[in-house]
DNA sequence: TCGATATAATTGTGATCACAAATTTTCTAA
DNA sequence: TTAGAAAATTTGTGATCACAATTATATCGA
């Protein structure tokens, strides 16, 4: 195996569950590793290398990589090499703007379907976020945060936006994780509380504002990281 | 091959180009067939069946189907059968709303990058749409319409919304094509002209309004089709 | 004839192989 | 020592196979 992929030694596969099948297990493990910033952007991922690392045949890895490609999490270069793209400032900005557009829409579309028991569950999920941050576990905090948002948006049984939102999260994941590892403290206004209040009041405007503010707060905390801008790849205009 | 898949006999693969590779050719052929309503919703697609029909081995078909699954164009059922989902009224509505949300945003984000030569090209693309409709070729008209929108949004070199928008188009494609086949005449306000004017004036508000009106006009024309509502699948709430 | 069971066939997934393309390593000449 | 060419190795894609799961067909009994 090419030494350039040794950063993958930090890859921690999820527990194997037989019901899931190798295919899904590989996908979820890679997805998790990617979201947690365990895969170095710019380094080529090889099918056989990952298969060896995860003790599976190349087929499920191949399919998982293709799926992650489809979701925007990894990109295929001209030489057919697959890798996590390096983040550029402009793309980062576009992804965050799109996140706001999509998530405020998804939240509002879910509003009519939110029942008191849903709000109770959201409160529980929000408490899990607080717990993670109390333990200074930003990885768990991020995943719990996503679970909160995902649960909310999926209260709409006809919701079609979630796969799109997940794709944006995936694309932002590595860089956000890196940035958050530089944070020395996590002080946050709990916009989720504001969202919950808006849900109780069935106030669409307030809900959109809370979700947007939540996302912008997250963006601001990343931008406040000293020297973060130097970690963006020099951006090149499309050919 | 299972007789239930015989509707695929209407599948017209694109011309094979060696530079493209079998994989991409199969994908683009299936994508095109799907978008043009050549694949009956609800009927199972089999890998080997399609491979035989397209004179390729099952591998490229398998990967193309998985990619189309990822893009929301087809869905995998519990029994692992892949098929084009039947459209429900609620999902149709959500997809159109999301289309408006995404495309108005994408257009606005492209606005600062639009040059006179881009507007000239958009005029040319708009003329192609008119030409298609003059020939009563709604299939070509739809594809040309998409090309107009795609070109516009991609004027922003950092645009990240287009794969998401394409996914929505893909999901809407079969039903829209079916609905348009029932239209006896195509009278449309040319919202593209309004969009072009907004671009010339660098007027973001007017641009958003034109794109939104364009999409809503398209929606209205479909809803005006007599009996169209009876072609939606009975909707079931998520378990 | 109908329903249940058994058998046969089909299907998607994972494994493995072959090959062209891409990359790395080795060799040679200046 | 360096640059270029040749050779060796690796890589992704497409082909094919095996197997468990699913579906279709045949058989049997009431």
């Amino acid at each position: 195996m090419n030494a350039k992929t040794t950063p993958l030694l930090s890859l921690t596969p999820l527990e194997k569950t037989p019901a899931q099948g190798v295919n899904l297990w590989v996908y979820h493990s890679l997805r998790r590793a990617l979201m947690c910033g365990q895969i170095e952007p710019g380094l080529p991922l090889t099918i056989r290398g990952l298969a060896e690392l995860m003790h599976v045949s190349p087929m499920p890895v191949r399919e998982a990589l293709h799926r992650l490609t489809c979701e925007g999490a990894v990109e295929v270069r001209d030489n057919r090499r697959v890798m996590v793209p390096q983040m550029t400032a402009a793309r980062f900005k576009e992804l965050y703007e799109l996140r706001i557009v999509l998530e405020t829409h998804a939240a509002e579309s879910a509003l009519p379907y939110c029942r008191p028991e849903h709000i109770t569950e959201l409160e529980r999920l929000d408490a899990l976020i607080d717990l993670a941050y109390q333990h200074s576990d930003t990885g768990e905090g991020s995943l719990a945060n996503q679970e909160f948002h995902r649960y909310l948006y999926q209260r709409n049984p006809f919701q079609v936006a979630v796969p799109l939102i997940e794709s944006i999260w995936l694309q932002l994941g590595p860089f956000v994780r890196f940035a958050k590892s530089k944070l020395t403290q996590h002080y946050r206004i709990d916009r989720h509380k504001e969202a919950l209040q808006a849900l109780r009041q069935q106030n669409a405007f307030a809900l959109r504002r809370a979700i947007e503010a939540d996302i912008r707060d997250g963006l601001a905390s990343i931008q406040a990281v000293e020297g973060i801008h130097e970690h963006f790849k020099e951006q090149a205009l499309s050919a």
Side-chain angles (χ1 to χ4, degrees), chain A:
Chain A
M1 193 166 91
N2 196 326
K4 287 191 289 189
T5 56
T6 50
L8 288 177
L9 290 179
S10 67
L11 179 62
T12 57
L14 296 174
E15 186 181 342
K16 261 188 187 177
T17 62
Q20 202 174 23
V22 182
N23 207 321
L24 271 191
W25 173 74
V26 169
Y27 168 74
H28 284 300
S29 295
L30 286 177
R31 187 186 190 283
R32 180 70 171 266
L34 199 143
M35 186 67 86
C36 294
Q38 293 175 344
I39 305 181
E40 184 75 30
L43 292 179
L45 306 174
T46 68
I47 292 168
R48 289 177 174 117
L50 288 174
E52 188 178 324
L53 195 67
M54 303 176 87
H55 306 295
V56 294
S57 85
M59 275 307 304
V61 173
R62 177 169 162 178
E63 304 214 332
L65 281 184
H66 288 178
R67 183 171 169 188
L68 287 166
T69 301
C70 191
E71 293 176 334
V74 295
E75 68 182 9
V76 182
R77 293 291 172 80
D78 284 354
N79 62 2
R80 303 190 306 185
R81 285 304 132 92
V82 176
M83 58 191 71
V84 177
Q86 291 174 317
M87 185 57 75
T88 65
R91 183 156 167 268
F92 188 73
K93 180 175 180 295
E94 292 286 339
L95 287 167
Y96 255 93
E97 290 298 327
L98 194 54
R99 224 194 123 192
I100 288 163
V101 164
L102 279 170
E103 292 189 39
T104 49
H105 169 79
E108 181 172 4
S109 79
L111 183 59
Y113 302 95
C114 287
R115 302 286 173 263
E117 59 268 26
H118 298 145
I119 295 168
T120 301
E121 174 66 13
L122 283 164
E123 284 167 341
R124 190 186 71 83
L125 291 172
D126 199 30
L128 291 183
I129 301 169
D130 293 336
L131 204 61
Y133 281 117
Q134 276 166 31
H135 292 152
S136 299
D137 189 340
T138 62
E140 280 303 312
S142 288
L143 293 175
N145 181 55
Q146 284 175 8
E147 186 51 44
F148 177 94
H149 285 265
R150 186 183 292 124
Y151 183 85
L152 169 58
Y153 308 145
Q154 286 182 334
R155 288 320 94 205
N156 172 358
F158 314 110
Q159 186 64 267
V160 294
V162 169
L164 281 59
I165 293 166
E166 297 265 7
S167 166
I168 304 294
W169 288 344
L170 256 182
Q171 291 175 63
L172 285 167
F175 193 84
V176 169
R177 187 58 186 279
F178 170 79
K180 289 195 168 176
S181 72
K182 307 291 182 183
L183 286 175
T184 50
Q185 65 180 358
H186 307 275
Y187 173 73
R188 66 185 186 109
I189 301 169
D190 197 333
R191 302 293 188 179
H192 291 182
K193 293 283 190 303
E194 296 177 7
L196 291 170
Q197 186 65 6
L199 288 173
R200 289 185 198 101
Q201 294 169 349
Q202 288 282 310
N203 183 334
F205 181 71
L207 180 61
R208 291 181 67 102
R209 284 207 4 188
I211 295 294
E212 177 166 350
D214 186 38
I215 296 167
R216 287 200 188 278
D217 288 353
L219 174 59
S221 71
I222 289 166
Q223 289 174 331
V225 173
E226 193 149 336
I228 194 64
H229 215 81
E230 290 153 28
H231 291 277
F232 287 126
K233 178 188 172 190
E234 278 287 332
Q235 54 200 16
L237 289 179
S238 308

